[in-house]
Amino acid sequence: MKMFGIIFSNIYDAEMGELTRVRTVASLPFGGRYRQVDFVLSNMVNSDITSVGIITKYNYKSLMDHFGDASDWDLNRKNGGLFIIPPFSSGQTTVYRGKLEALHSALRFLESTDDEYALMCDSTIICNIDYKAVLKSHIASGADITVVANKDSEDTDTSQELVLSTTKDGKVTDLAIDTIPTPDQVMGMGMYIMERTKLIKIIEQSISHGLAHFERDFMQKQFIAGSLKINAYIFDGTVLRNKSISSYFDNNLSLLDRKISGDIFKTERPIYTKVRDEVPSYYAETSTINDCIVADGCVIRGTVENSVIFRGVYIEPGAEVRNCILMQGTRVKKGAKLTNVIADKNVLITDNTTLAGAPTAPYIVTKGLTV
Amino acid sequence: MNNRSKNCIAMLLAGGQGSRLKVLTEENAKPAVPFGGKYRIIDFPLANCVKSDIDTVGILTQYQPFELNSYIGNGQPWGLNRNFGGAFILPPYQRSKKTEWYKGTANAIYQNINFVDRYNPSHVLIISGDHIYKMNYKNMLRYHIEHGADCTIAVLNVSLQEASRFGIMNADADGKIYEFEEKPKKPKSTNASMGVYIFKWDVLRKYLIEDEADDTSSNDFGKNIIPKMLAGGKKLYAYPFDGYWMDVGTIESLWEANMDLLDPNSTFKLNDPKFKIYARNYSVSASRISKAAQVENSLITEGCDIEGHISDSIISTGCTVEKGAYVHKSFIMPGAVIGKNAHIEYAIIGERSIIGPGAKIGSEQDESGKLSISVVGNDRNIERNTVIQAGDVV
């Protein structure tokens, strides 16, 4: 039973504000050395999926730069491989609004493969999951579609999320969108498995009926009409949902928790990313570093606490960085003080600058800016 | 079918066991020994080739080739996965007439004449896999061509005392070599050979065949080929190189070269975006440095979990340093675990080795100036509270 993957790269761009002004949510940096899409893509690769289409809408140059020839994910293949699917728009249609329309642009890709099952995933969910087990559950259930879900009692931001009631064996008995789950309900993780031929049929029918959204227009309507059998695969590992700037900020810092990072970074199922050939990070005698995630290529000469430091960040002596996310190539100069700041790529913080945000609303410095 | 040719290809002598590295080369050829946190020694000559636009590298090896083989793979991490050219591991192989191991450096090239001929190069660069340096061979090749040399040898200006450890090239003012002395007791000059040669391929090819026919020869570049070419009136030139260069063939020099990476006054700069060193990547997450950690003048690679005190040390990919552990002036190889309250000074800890809690390895050096570095081999399990003395190798 062979499965191929589809990743939606732009669906939740609007939620991330400034951070997705020049990139897709898929290419948003996460965890010191990754892009968000690396997690879902690595999960696919580690589940023996060798053919993956990534559906894009706009701003996808950052994605193409990131993937290159896809060899860092072992997806430079003759049979299958990684395909970037740019938006398709003919006279009548505009660039897609929802997943159904997005899938329409991927019809050619769906028709060109002969793998029997399609796995469709959002790119904003960080976890380490074995999709082979999900496929097994899907086949055993006999359902039309399987949705991956988990119990997430702490999450109160349920916008656009599927909330499901299920029987013990995973049969979905109620499906709601945008509501707070009760303790025995589970929340969808934006990952679906369907038979390829069924999916193609649904896309074609939906487009001709003017439907745009996969969850609302297709799943929920068909389910209520009683014509869609849904299976839920309950995932019990750690799930980080990056659906707003504040959750993105918290989730980055949560990697400091050994239990969380241990559950996401597993040596038997590694997370792959673009190789940048950075040197090991240098910590000077003047550095003080407490509870940080640090990637390669950094020079730390100042004080850094409770922060995520991406590749190639330079922190000068006397600079103080607390509760921050500093993306690739940030330079913090002497005497600068940053608290609750997200610095996008290649930001320069000049001497003695003080920037402070709130933990719930971090201060964002946009890409390439000098402050 | 294909008549393409190359201006210059490289042959990298990855050679023998490197027995002076003791336990570190038990199951590993010297070029595959880790260096500098995320590299292997061979990454340096390979990066030099890539920087010099040399995209065809034959790697000659006959000792424990597995590690090296899987490390090099198809050459992709170095951009050496080429359609015409690329990286090739060339072990000795069975032939119809006779089969033999590589007898010497020259014999290793001799046995691969067919490989070189396939690229029909004008020049062949011969380098070795156990030196740490950054060198753009393009400049040397230009010098070689401008002088119309049959062979150009890169030389380093060493001190007079050091000179007797090297092959010394005595040359006249314009660089033409008139005499070669292997480890002279009374050196006449201080031009030490770095083991980097560029030959005109047609000239070298002829000398390799002649040398192979000479039963008295030990088939070595330094001992046989160079003296024979000098005697034969060939044009040999010395190309002066003034950058950092270190033969890391011994425990002490391997340790020292690693420590040089932490010296702000060292001329060797690892971090140069215009001259990157490439390495195979291990897909590990970024490092975690906890509250209990204290890090001073050290390099830490990705994939580490640090809770101890680290000073003047190199911590390689995927290491763990537990609470209360103290690591000073040491080189910790990939995947090693330093247990709670272990105390490590002036040491090299091998790949994936586990140092038990409270173990004490190495000690502050005495004043004699002679280094005594303690070494723990690869995949060792050092029991709790074990004491390993300065200079001991386990």
Side-chain angles (χ1 to χ4, degrees):
Chain A
M1 290 299 145
K2 185 93 175 131
M3 183 159 66
F4 65 96
I6 286 179
I7 296 174
F8 301 101
S9 67
N10 289 89
I11 296 290
Y12 301 109
D13 279 4
E15 323 294 324
M16 287 293 175
E18 270 305 299
L19 296 177
T20 48
R21 200 167 53 88
V22 290
R23 59 167 78 88
T24 64
V25 284
S27 42
L28 185 60
F30 187 82
R33 61 192 299 273
Y34 303 97
R35 306 289 185 136
Q36 293 204 97
V37 70
D38 290 335
F39 293 84
V40 62
L41 188 59
S42 300
N43 285 334
M44 288 181 174
V45 170
N46 291 334
S47 307
D48 299 338
I49 290 176
T50 52
S51 182
V52 180
I54 300 195
I55 305 182
T56 60
K57 190 171 180 179
Y58 41 68
N59 282 341
Y60 52 88
K61 185 184 172 290
S62 61
L63 261 191
M64 297 180 68
D65 289 348
H66 183 59
F67 290 128
D69 68 351
S71 57
D72 291 329
W73 294 262
D74 236 349
L75 286 173
N76 50 339
R77 289 173 187 267
K78 291 271 180 186
N79 184 13
L82 183 78
F83 303 88
I84 300 228
I85 302 168
F88 168 84
S89 61
S90 66
Q92 281 80 26
T93 58
T94 52
V95 177
Y96 63 79
R97 293 166 292 164
K99 276 183 204 166
L100 276 177
E101 286 186 347
L103 283 164
H104 188 215
S105 58
L107 265 182
R108 286 258 299 273
F109 170 70
L110 293 178
E111 280 157 359
S112 68
T113 175
D114 33 58
D115 297 346
E116 292 148 282
Y117 291 96
L119 167 68
M120 294 170 278
C121 293
D122 288 338
S123 46
T124 55
I125 298 227
I126 309 293
C127 66
N128 195 319
I129 183 173
D130 179 10
Y131 292 124
K132 278 186 287 188
V134 184
L135 179 61
K136 224 168 139 188
S137 153
H138 176 70
I139 293 170
S141 74
D144 300 305
I145 182 166
T146 289
V147 45
V148 181
N150 78 326
K151 282 222 159 114
D152 199 338
S153 46
E154 282 163 42
D155 200 322
T156 50
D157 174 12
T158 57
S159 52
Q160 309 194 43
E161 300 278 4
L162 284 185
V163 174
L164 309 166
S165 302
T166 67
T167 62
K168 264 204 187 97
D169 58 356
K171 189 169 175 257
V172 172
T173 54
D174 186 47
L175 185 162
I177 295 175
D178 234 343
T179 167
I180 309 272
T182 62
D184 53 349
Q185 284 184 312
V186 290
M187 218 149 86
M189 288 165 56
M191 302 168 178
Y192 306 101
I193 290 181
M194 278 189 97
E195 250 174 72
R196 180 178 68 97
T197 48
K198 245 180 219 171
L199 179 64
I200 292 176
K201 213 174 285 166
I202 284 157
I203 297 166
E204 283 168 345
Q205 282 170 2
S206 303
I207 294 305
S208 52
H209 289 83
L211 305 177
H213 300 285
F214 188 78
E215 287 89 351
R216 245 176 227 289
D217 295 343
F218 160 68
M219 278 184 76
Q220 197 173 31
K221 277 191 183 153
Q222 299 279 312
F223 180 75
I224 291 169
S227 51
L228 191 72
K229 216 177 130 194
I230 306 178
N231 169 49
Y233 174 89
I234 314 295
F235 177 67
D236 59 4
T238 299
V239 177
L240 304 177
R241 293 177 156 84
N242 291 329
K243 48 191 177 184
S244 63
I245 286 171
S246 74
S247 62
Y248 168 80
F249 185 67
D250 293 345
N251 287 339
N252 263 291
L253 294 177
S254 77
L255 293 177
L256 285 163
D257 183 330
R258 201 172 260 117
K259 196 187 156 303
I260 291 177
S261 53
D263 214 18
I264 287 171
F265 303 109
K266 295 174 189 279
T267 48
E268 70 275 22
R269 290 206 302 266
I271 307 297
Y272 314 101
T273 189
K274 180 179 180 172
V275 174
R276 297 198 59 92
D277 298 300
E278 296 279 4
V279 298
S281 283
Y282 176 72
Y283 301 76
E285 250 159 276
T286 51
S287 72
T288 308
I289 183 151
N290 287 330
D291 279 340
C292 288
I293 300 284
V294 186
D296 274 350
C298 298
V299 177
I300 315 279
R301 296 183 186 277
T303 298
V304 198
E305 280 175 17
N306 199 46
S307 296
V308 176
I309 310 297
F310 281 74
R311 290 159 167 176
V313 168
Y314 197 113
I315 296 173
E316 295 193 0
E320 293 175 25
V321 174
R322 291 190 174 84
N323 303 331
C324 290
I325 296 170
L326 305 184
M327 292 187 199
Q328 195 181 314
T330 303
R331 191 175 181 114
V332 185
K333 306 217 34 160
K334 288 188 184 72
K337 289 187 174 51
L338 307 183
T339 316
N340 295 316
V341 170
I342 300 177
D344 205 325
K345 279 174 74 175
N346 302 321
V347 157
L348 175 66
I349 310 288
T350 53
D351 293 17
N352 302 315
T353 305
T354 300
L355 297 177
T360 47
Y363 187 104
I364 298 178
V365 187
T366 48
K367 192 172 167 181
L369 216 61
T370 298
V371 184
Chain B
M1 198 172 72
N2 199 332
N3 293 316
R4 293 176 69 182
S5 59
K6 297 232 180 231
N7 186 32
C8 184
I9 72 166
M11 297 297 269
L12 193 156
L13 299 161
Q17 179 181 1
S19 53
R20 288 175 304 156
L21 283 180
K22 301 172 184 165
V23 290
L24 298 174
T25 49
E26 270 170 348
E27 293 180 345
N28 202 355
K30 188 156 58 171
V33 167
F35 183 85
K38 65 186 297 188
Y39 309 98
R40 308 263 159 183
I41 297 170
I42 197 173
D43 289 331
F44 292 82
L46 285 180
N48 289 344
C49 287
V50 172
K51 177 70 184 171
S52 314
D53 293 330
I54 292 171
D55 64 4
T56 306
V57 185
I59 299 165
L60 301 134
T61 182
Q62 60 185 356
Y63 174 76
Q64 296 281 4
F66 175 71
E67 189 85 10
L68 194 57
N69 227 327
S70 58
Y71 187 70
I72 299 300
N74 68 349
Q76 185 264 341
W78 302 267
L80 288 172
N81 48 339
R82 306 264 58 91
N83 285 331
F84 181 57
F88 299 85
I89 300 269
L90 303 171
Y93 56 93
Q94 212 169 19
R95 291 147 206 274
S96 54
K97 290 201 187 90
K98 68 174 179 181
T99 301
E100 57 189 4
W101 295 103
Y102 294 150
K103 291 178 291 181
T105 50
N107 174 260
I109 308 292
Y110 170 82
Q111 291 203 36
N112 288 286
I113 283 179
N114 287 344
F115 171 83
V116 180
D117 279 345
R118 162 185 289 199
Y119 297 99
N120 189 24
S122 310
H123 308 280
V124 172
L125 168 73
I126 311 281
I127 49 182
S128 53
D130 46 9
H131 300 150
I132 301 292
Y133 63 119
K134 278 185 174 183
M135 179 175 181
N136 191 337
Y137 304 126
K138 240 194 276 184
N139 301 332
M140 180 176 171
L141 181 60
R142 195 179 305 124
Y143 175 99
H144 170 77
I145 293 169
E146 277 168 9
H147 285 80
D150 297 303
C151 170
T152 300
I153 300 167
V155 294
L156 198 68
N157 193 6
V158 296
S159 70
L160 206 57
Q161 297 102 293
E162 279 182 302
S164 40
R165 295 197 289 119
F166 289 97
I168 298 297
M169 302 292 159
N170 297 320
D172 58 26
D174 74 336
K176 191 156 191 283
I177 298 168
Y178 60 84
E179 187 186 24
F180 166 73
E181 291 179 292
E182 179 73 25
K183 298 182 182 161
K185 287 220 174 66
K186 285 195 180 143
K188 292 184 196 129
S189 76
T190 53
N191 287 331
S193 168
M194 295 163 57
V196 174
Y197 311 90
I198 297 177
F199 291 93
K200 276 185 186 155
W201 174 233
D202 54 351
V203 177
L204 176 62
R205 199 177 186 283
K206 185 171 144 279
Y207 273 88
L208 288 175
I209 293 168
E210 282 175 18
D211 184 62
E212 186 62 22
D214 174 1
D215 288 336
T216 62
S217 172
S218 50
N219 307 118
D220 184 86
F221 276 102
K223 284 193 199 106
N224 310 105
I225 301 289
I226 301 298
K228 278 180 183 168
M229 286 179 79
L230 275 173
K234 292 291 166 194
K235 284 169 81 177
L236 281 77
Y237 277 82
Y239 170 79
F241 175 74
D242 62 359
Y244 180 96
W245 179 89
M246 185 78 135
D247 180 338
V248 288
T250 63
I251 294 290
E252 290 72 26
S253 60
L254 178 66
W255 178 88
E256 242 173 277
N258 271 286
M259 292 303 124
D260 284 345
L261 300 176
L262 300 170
D263 178 0
N265 302 318
S266 168
T267 52
F268 191 66
K269 296 278 175 270
L270 203 50
N271 192 4
D272 176 359
K274 289 195 177 137
F275 202 144
K276 277 192 177 187
I277 307 297
Y278 310 98
R280 187 167 285 280
N281 187 276
Y282 292 98
S283 299
V284 292
S285 61
S287 282
R288 155 220 297 283
I289 318 286
S290 329
K291 198 164 272 158
Q294 212 179 324
V295 190
E296 288 159 16
N297 191 38
S298 295
L299 288 177
I300 298 179
T301 317
E302 286 176 342
C304 289
D305 191 341
I306 308 292
E307 293 186 281
H309 182 148
I310 295 164
S311 55
D312 305 317
S313 293
I314 311 267
I315 314 291
S316 306
T317 310
C319 289
T320 301
V321 179
E322 295 180 357
K323 267 193 192 127
Y326 174 84
V327 180
H328 178 63
K329 288 270 181 193
S330 293
F331 171 39
I332 314 296
M333 289 186 175
V337 177
I338 314 298
K340 283 200 177 85
N341 302 318
H343 189 103
I344 297 174
E345 275 185 284
Y346 293 88
I348 296 177
I349 307 296
E351 292 183 71
R352 300 170 299 273
S353 282
I354 297 170
I355 310 301
K360 192 173 179 310
I361 299 174
S363 66
E364 194 63 47
Q365 303 293 292
D366 62 28
E367 275 138 38
S368 70
K370 193 183 168 297
L371 279 170
S372 40
I373 303 301
S374 310
V375 183
V376 173
N378 297 335
D379 300 295
R380 298 292 197 274
N381 202 339
I382 305 297
E383 299 284 329
R384 167 185 295 269
N385 300 329
T386 306
V387 176
I388 295 171
Q389 303 292 349
D392 281 1
V393 175
V394 297

